[in-house]
Structures are given as C-alpha cells and as structure tokens.
Amino acid sequence: MYRKMVEIRKFEEHVWDVYTRGWMPGLAHLYIGEEAVATGACSALRDDDYITSTHRGHGHCLAKGARLEPMMAEIMGKEAGYCRGKGGSMHIADMSVGNLGANGIVGGGFGIATGAALSAKTRGTDQVAVCFFGDGAANQGIFMETANMASVWNLPVIYLCENNQYGEHTPFQAVTGVDEIADRAHGFGMEGTRVDGSDALAVHDVVRHAVERAREGGGPTLVEALTYRFRGHHVGDAAPYRTKEELEWWMSNRDPIELLGREMRRRRIATQAQLDEVQTETETAVVAAVEFARQAPYPEPEQAFEDVYSE
Amino acid sequence: MTQAATTDTNERQLSYREAIIEAMAEEMRLDETVILIGEDVGPSGGIFKCSEGLFDEFGHDRVIDAPISEAGYIGLSVGAAMTGLRPIAELMFGDFSLLTMDQLVNQAAKIRYMTGGQCQVNLTVRMTMGAGRSSAAQHSQSLHALFAHIPGLKVAVPSCPYDAKGLLKAAIRDDNPVLVFEDKMMYNDVAHVPDHDYVVDLGTAAVRRAGSDVTLVGTSSMVGVALEAADELAALGIEAEVVDPRTLFPLDIDALVDSVRKTGYAVIIDEGVQRYGATGEIAATLQEQAFDYLDGPVLRIGAADVPIPFSPVLEMPTIPDTARVVEAVQSQRRR
C-alpha cells in the first residue's frame, strides 16, 4: 500500500514536470494529497471487480493495477498508451483489470458503475463495483437516480466520495446543503460512513467491510473520504481561492504517505531506510516510464478514424 | 437494396407492436444476456403495450421496471452493456431522451473510441416518435436526427411491422449503441411478418414502390405518406419511386443515388423538424453525390418550425402530409 501511494505521488509529480515542459497536451488534474483513498479502496478489491474513475483519475487507475508505461504514454498521446492516444489523461481505462474508465464528465461514472453492479448481479457473479466521485459530483442529479436504483435493487456497488473540499474553485460547503455527504445515504436507504481520507488503513477497512457486505448480497454503501488536494484543480491553477495556511496545515499534518510511513515505523513493519528505498525504486521506475513514453511513437493520423464503431 | 416485404394476406399478419414484442422475445430466448429495462415494461406491459408477455416469460431479473429516472437507467444500461449484458432500454416517449443526453452522447457513443477500442457498448434504446395524437409539445417530437448527428451511435427508423422486427433484432445483435425510433401512430398497423428468425441489416434501404419520374425518400411513417402521394401522382401521370432508408446511420446512400440516377428528381420527407434535420442531410448528400443526374433541386419536407401544438386543428398542419408531397413534386417539375 505504501509503495502504491508513493508510485501515485511520484507519477503525478512527473506529470506536473512533463506538463510544464510541454511534453503533454491537454489538461492534467493531479491526485497529489489524495493517494490514500484510491490505494486504500482498491486494495480491498479483486482484479475482476470494477471501478469507475474521474477526471482526477491517475491515482485510481494505478491503484487498480495500471502499469506506469502505458499510463504515461497515454498522457502524452502515444500509440503505446492504454487508449492508443485517443483518450488522454481524463479517459484512461484498462478493462483487463476492471477499470471501466476515467470520465471527463463530473458524475459520469455513476451510471456505468451502477450498471456494472446490475450486470454482476444479473449474471450471478459476486463482483462488486466501486464508483469514485468527488464532492462536486455529489451534487449531480444522476447521483440520486442511480443510488436509488442501487438501493431498491440491492446492487453490489460502493459509492466512494472523495471529498477534497473544493469543486474546481468553489468550497464544497458553499454549494452543498449538508455538512457531510455521507448523511445523504439515509435518504437513499443505504448505509453511509465518513472516513479519514488521509488514512489509507482506515479507508481500506471501511471499503473492505462495504465490499464484503456487497458480495454477500447486502447491497450498496456510500463512503465519504475526507481528503485534500495539495495542488490546484489542474496544472496551472495556483488555487488563489484557498489560504496558504489551510494548504500548509494539510500538507504538514495530513500527508497520507507520511502518515502511513509513520504508522509502519511505529508498528515496526518497516524502517525509515526501507521506506526511503521504496521512494528511490519508485522514482527510478517512474523516470523510466517517462523516458519510455517520450520515446514511444505517436499513432498514425489515420487511426483517428478507427474504433468509432465495433465491426 | 432489398425489395419490400410481401403483404400476401395468406401469410401471417402482425401489428407493428406485436412485431416489436416478437423481436425482443426471440432475442431474449436466443441470448440470456439480453435484458429489457424501462418504465412500466414489467407486469403492466408498457403504456403502449410493447412488452406485453415478456415479464411472464422472462421474469423480473430480465424485464426490469425502472423508476422514473431516464438518465439513471440509461446510464445503468451503458455500464451493463460494457460488462457482459446486452440491454434493451425503453424510453416511453422520445422526448424523454433529452433527459439522457449525457449517457447517450457523452458516454455510450464515445466510450469505445475514448478507450482505444477496449470495449463495446452493445446497447439498444427503443423510443417513440411521431405527432398526431394531441400529445402536445413534450410527447410528440421526432428527435432521431439529433442522434444521427453523433458519431458512435446508429439510428433506425422502421416504417412497417416487417422492419420493426428485423431492424430491432439487428439492433440488439449489433455491438454498438443503436437507437430505434418507433412511430407511436404505427403501433396498430398490421402487415406480414415472418414467424422465423430474420434480421434487416442496418444500412440497407428498401424500395417500397418502383417508379421512373421522381424519387420520394420517406422515413418511418413518412413512407406511408410518400406511398399515398405516389398513388395521387400516378393519377397525374407521374410515376414516383418510394425509397425507405430504414436507418439514418448507417445511411444507404448508394440506394438513394441509384434511384435518383433513374428519376432525376428527389423529394425527402421526414417527420423531424425540417431545419438542420434528416431531410437536409439526405438532400445535401444527394446533391454532392448525384448532382449530374438531377434535373431539379432536391426538395425537403419536414415538420413545421414550431413546437408541436395540442389542438388537432393546430397540430395536423405541422406534420408533413400527402398534399404537400404532391405539391412539391409538381412545383419541382415546373421550374
């Protein structure tokens, strides 16, 4: 779990670097600061379980099993990318490990994840689906529609709200009628829990419990993970809408990698030297992925006209 | 191009509605991953009775009454299609498709492409179209052209019971999102429908009447209007050929060009609003691809440029009718 979180952090730091050097086109929404949510949740899933991700999706993809090279290649628009350059940062998917895709529409995953859960139930498997979404998506109408169907049909889906406290530039309290999004679960007729989204172990425990219940036919759960993004909405957003003090407090006190590392040292699971080694190894792997992606060829322009329809 | 189905009265007759039910029942028997989801599709059989009997045969796991959450259950259908089911979703009125635009246009149409071909969205969405029953502006629209505009979607507009069955079966088997528009004014139309397993391939037009003087391209219920107009024109000494594209996308442009090559004139009739509509797209395509064969401008007849009114006295003039087609053909030849 520690290694995965470090991998996500380093990956995102390099995306920032790649972006500012002009090596990638488009937009990049970084997951730095939120690593515990994707990692804690996906470590409670099997490969054949499903997730849907968001525009801030790199962390979910890596946590669900995506490899660094095709991730970075996709972000640079290369043929070797997961979507062969057709999706980019906001649309990375890897069906082979149950990642049904990041989504450029806020709330775009609700229907797909709930449909995957309906499919699992209808086909008689015990797969579950986790729908990652943000505090912004919590105010989309389709959340109510799909959560209601999941509740009434007892579908194996976990709605995992990453409340990073800002919907783009707007504080979530300014546009949300409840203090805790988890409270909305009662209105849907399902269980709701809020968890410390900086604590990977806590996220893992809550999600594992929800997954076990869903597998056994216990139906859906709404989990709200309170977290914070350490960077702007996207690379280039200096985030003037929040205070320096607030940002510094979260970075100093609630860095999920620091917190897990401290806990591992406290429980004597790992020494600082071992954790440092993970950092070094991961940095090397991400640097190699950047180099791989830079060297990888672009798709042929004619490929723009392929994959619109399944033949 | 194929010829129209025979209407030999010795053969089995089915209504357009019964043909739709038979198509779904046959596909659900053949493939256990086919499910039907929609408002009131279950025990009640639907407000237009288009799923009657299916709940009894296939049960609540495969014939699912959805809450009144169009965006939600179309969204679920997209996710289910990506993960091993082959859903048929019913939208009671095509007007309600506007609540589902994100699911159909941003998600269903694009997921295969955005993911570099990693998945397919084998989803069929059935919905009604057509005015003429005093349902006013939010229960009468014909919105098929809106979806034909979107890369990644296919659009079928069956004009008769034979096609209602054959196109729907093709849509269900297709590995792409296919929208099937059923004109609610045709549900009671009866004609020959074979009781065996057949499909009408998406993208194959049908010549409904052969003629040498003008091509009338009609879609959905406008095929009937074109055929009536052809009878009237015949009395005036003008032999009209009536061509039914059957699907707006894929569009069998070769069949339309072949007909125009023979006749030299074309009038396009469609019940969608005329501006920026199916009539304009087909007319422009013919002018690009059959210009050398045309002896006059291609004319368009679509629904009037107004929301559909309630009172029959107001409503009927907004819908294309036989008189307008006859007048268009005559005016075309006077130029």
Side-chain angles (χ1 to χ4, degrees):
Chain A
M1 223 188 280
Y2 183 83
R3 181 179 293 274
K4 184 58 73 179
M5 288 206 291
V6 171
E7 183 182 278
I8 295 169
R9 173 74 53 94
K10 301 247 177 231
F11 185 86
E12 295 292 62
E13 287 171 351
H14 278 276
V15 170
W16 190 89
D17 184 58
V18 159
Y19 190 93
T20 50
R21 286 171 189 267
W23 292 345
M24 69 168 280
L27 284 172
H29 305 84
L30 302 183
Y31 197 64
I32 293 174
E34 306 183 33
E35 294 91 344
V37 186
T39 307
C42 290
S43 61
L45 297 177
R46 302 192 310 231
D47 266 4
D48 68 338
D49 289 327
Y50 299 110
I51 66 161
T52 57
S53 171
T54 70
H55 61 285
R56 196 177 307 288
H58 305 164
H60 310 135
C61 297
L62 288 168
K64 193 65 172 69
R67 287 168 293 116
L68 293 167
E69 288 86 357
M71 280 281 295
M72 196 59 88
E74 185 60 35
I75 283 166
M76 291 194 203
K78 301 298 183 72
E79 161 71 15
Y82 271 110
C83 310
R84 299 163 65 219
K86 288 208 173 83
S89 166
M90 278 193 284
H91 301 293
I92 295 173
D94 182 1
M95 304 293 165
S96 68
V97 292
N99 175 2
L100 302 178
N103 210 296
I105 304 296
V106 171
F110 286 122
I112 296 166
T114 313
L118 174 70
S119 171
K121 188 177 183 211
T122 305
R123 288 182 287 109
T125 75
D126 68 347
Q127 294 162 287
V128 305
V130 171
C131 175
F132 288 101
F133 66 104
D135 47 287
N139 292 328
Q140 289 277 29
I142 195 167
F143 179 30
M144 195 285 280
E145 296 191 17
T146 53
N148 175 58
M149 281 184 271
S151 174
V152 73
W153 295 331
N154 217 35
L155 300 180
V157 56
I158 291 101
Y159 298 103
L160 209 177
C161 180
E162 301 177 306
N163 183 352
N164 68 17
Q165 311 182 50
Y166 289 86
E168 300 207 11
H169 302 180
T170 303
F172 116 94
Q173 298 96 330
V175 291
T176 309
V178 286
D179 293 332
E180 298 195 7
I181 289 161
D183 288 347
R184 290 189 173 161
H186 307 299
F188 301 139
M190 69 176 75
E191 287 207 22
T193 315
R194 193 182 226 200
V195 63
D196 178 355
S198 303
D199 181 343
L201 298 173
V203 173
H204 175 88
D205 284 346
V206 165
V207 174
R208 194 193 54 194
H209 177 70
V211 165
E212 281 169 6
R213 226 160 39 105
R215 278 203 214 291
E216 288 159 9
T221 307
L222 171 60
V223 176
E224 176 186 8
L226 188 68
T227 180
Y228 198 82
R229 65 170 146 78
F230 291 0
R231 301 292 173 93
H233 170 58
H234 51 71
V235 181
D237 169 24
Y241 42 82
R242 53 187 196 184
T243 64
K244 198 165 169 241
E245 292 72 28
E246 179 185 284
L247 174 64
E248 279 174 1
W249 186 87
W250 279 87
M251 290 179 70
S252 313
N253 295 286
R254 306 305 302 157
D255 183 321
I257 295 174
E258 278 299 309
L259 293 177
L260 184 62
R262 198 181 305 159
E263 183 65 13
M264 289 168 77
R265 290 195 306 274
R266 191 183 70 77
R267 295 196 201 174
R268 301 188 186 285
I269 297 167
T271 63
Q272 186 59 49
Q274 286 171 312
L275 297 180
D276 290 346
E277 198 182 323
V278 170
Q279 297 265 352
T280 309
E281 286 168 5
T282 310
E283 174 70 16
T284 306
V286 176
V287 168
V290 172
E291 192 52 28
F292 167 84
R294 287 194 69 204
Q295 300 301 327
Y298 285 102
E300 296 299 323
E302 305 84 70
Q303 287 176 238
F305 307 100
E306 298 171 359
D307 298 326
V308 183
Y309 292 95
S310 178
E311 298 303 325
Chain B
M1 197 178 342
T2 59
Q3 293 298 314
T6 164
T7 50
D8 182 348
T9 48
N10 293 324
E11 298 189 22
R12 189 184 67 143
Q13 306 287 301
L14 276 192
S15 69
Y16 190 94
R17 169 189 295 107
E18 291 164 332
I20 289 162
I21 297 169
E22 184 164 278
M24 292 192 286
E26 285 182 8
E27 293 306 302
M28 291 179 82
R29 282 175 208 132
L30 285 168
D31 180 352
E32 65 177 14
T33 69
V34 177
I35 63 163
L36 173 65
I37 184 168
E39 292 154 0
D40 297 333
V41 299
S44 92
I47 66 153
F48 291 111
K49 299 290 171 204
C50 283
S51 54
E52 214 160 46
L54 297 180
F55 183 87
D56 290 342
E57 180 172 354
F58 300 103
H60 64 269
D61 285 339
R62 294 181 66 194
V63 181
I64 303 170
D65 268 335
I68 301 174
S69 304
E70 287 87 2
Y73 75 78
I74 295 293
L76 260 70
S77 301
V78 175
M82 292 168 67
T83 55
L85 295 186
R86 196 169 275 277
I88 308 164
E90 179 185 299
L91 290 167
M92 195 179 276
F93 288 88
D95 313 70
F96 306 164
S97 69
L98 299 173
L99 291 153
T100 74
M101 286 308 238
D102 181 53
Q103 302 310 314
L104 289 174
V105 178
N106 280 327
Q107 311 296 343
K110 296 177 173 58
I111 287 170
R112 175 179 173 76
Y113 187 84
M114 292 191 302
T115 62
Q118 283 189 59
C119 67
Q120 59 191 36
V121 182
N122 37 239
L123 166 66
T124 301
V125 182
R126 296 178 34 241
M127 71 184 88
T128 56
M129 60 180 282
R133 59 199 301 275
S134 284
S135 299
Q138 296 174 335
H139 289 74
S140 304
Q141 296 171 89
S142 297
L143 297 172
H144 43 293
L146 219 56
F147 295 97
H149 183 64
I150 305 299
L153 301 180
K154 296 184 179 181
V155 173
V157 279
S159 68
C160 59
Y162 181 93
D163 283 7
K165 178 176 171 182
L167 286 173
L168 180 52
K169 284 168 68 82
I172 295 166
R173 293 181 193 183
D174 200 279
D175 288 335
N176 298 285
V178 185
L179 280 54
V180 183
F181 287 80
E182 301 162 2
D183 192 313
K184 51 180 114 50
M185 302 303 286
M186 295 195 292
Y187 277 137
N188 293 326
D189 288 4
V190 172
H192 169 57
V193 176
D195 59 6
H196 62 78
D197 179 22
Y198 69 92
V199 297
V200 172
D201 291 334
L202 306 177
T204 55
V207 174
R208 302 300 186 189
R209 174 192 174 117
S212 54
D213 299 332
V214 59
T215 299
L216 303 179
V217 179
T219 60
S220 184
S221 63
M222 294 299 113
V223 173
V225 169
L227 287 168
E228 280 176 24
D231 284 342
E232 291 185 22
L233 289 165
L236 301 171
I238 300 169
E239 286 302 325
E241 177 148 294
V242 176
V243 185
D244 174 2
R246 289 166 149 173
T247 52
L248 291 187
F249 191 91
L251 180 65
D252 188 355
I253 192 65
D254 291 347
L256 304 181
V257 170
D258 284 349
S259 179
V260 168
R261 181 179 296 167
K262 193 166 62 172
T263 64
Y265 291 95
V267 178
I268 324 296
I269 313 125
D270 177 82
E271 205 185 328
V273 169
Q274 185 168 311
R275 73 178 187 208
Y276 295 93
T279 55
E281 174 67 17
I282 293 171
T285 308
L286 282 175
Q287 271 158 166
E288 285 166 353
Q289 301 202 17
F291 187 79
D292 292 343
Y293 309 110
L294 286 166
D295 296 320
V298 179
L299 298 182
R300 298 175 294 157
I301 301 177
D305 230 359
V306 296
I308 296 161
F310 166 70
S311 174
V313 175
L314 302 175
E315 181 182 25
M316 297 320 285
T318 71
I319 308 170
D321 61 14
T322 307
R324 279 181 65 194
V325 178
V326 172
E327 167 54 27
V329 170
Q330 290 177 309
S331 75
Q332 199 173 35
R333 307 179 90 77
R334 283 196 295 267
R335 286 173 191 244

